[in-house]
Amino acid sequence: MAVDLSDFEHPAWRTAAGMGIGYVLILAVLTVAMFVVPWLVFSALV
């Protein structure tokens, strides 16, 4: 069964992909800020 990729050229698909990528990037930054940075600070103090 062939898939016609021209169906995914609508601007709404690009918007949805951008939103998903932005959401993942924000989660990654928050994870680093909330877990990695404090771990580095406390491990430097001990």
Side-chain angles (χ1 to χ4, degrees), residues 2 18 34 43 46:
M34 298 300 287
S43 66
V46 173

Side-chain angles (χ1 to χ4, degrees), residues 15-39:
T15 301
M19 183 204 61
I21 292 170
Y23 186 73
V24 168
L25 288 175
I26 289 171
L27 283 178
V29 169
L30 287 175
T31 300
V32 168
M34 298 300 287
F35 296 105
V36 176
V37 172
W39 178 75

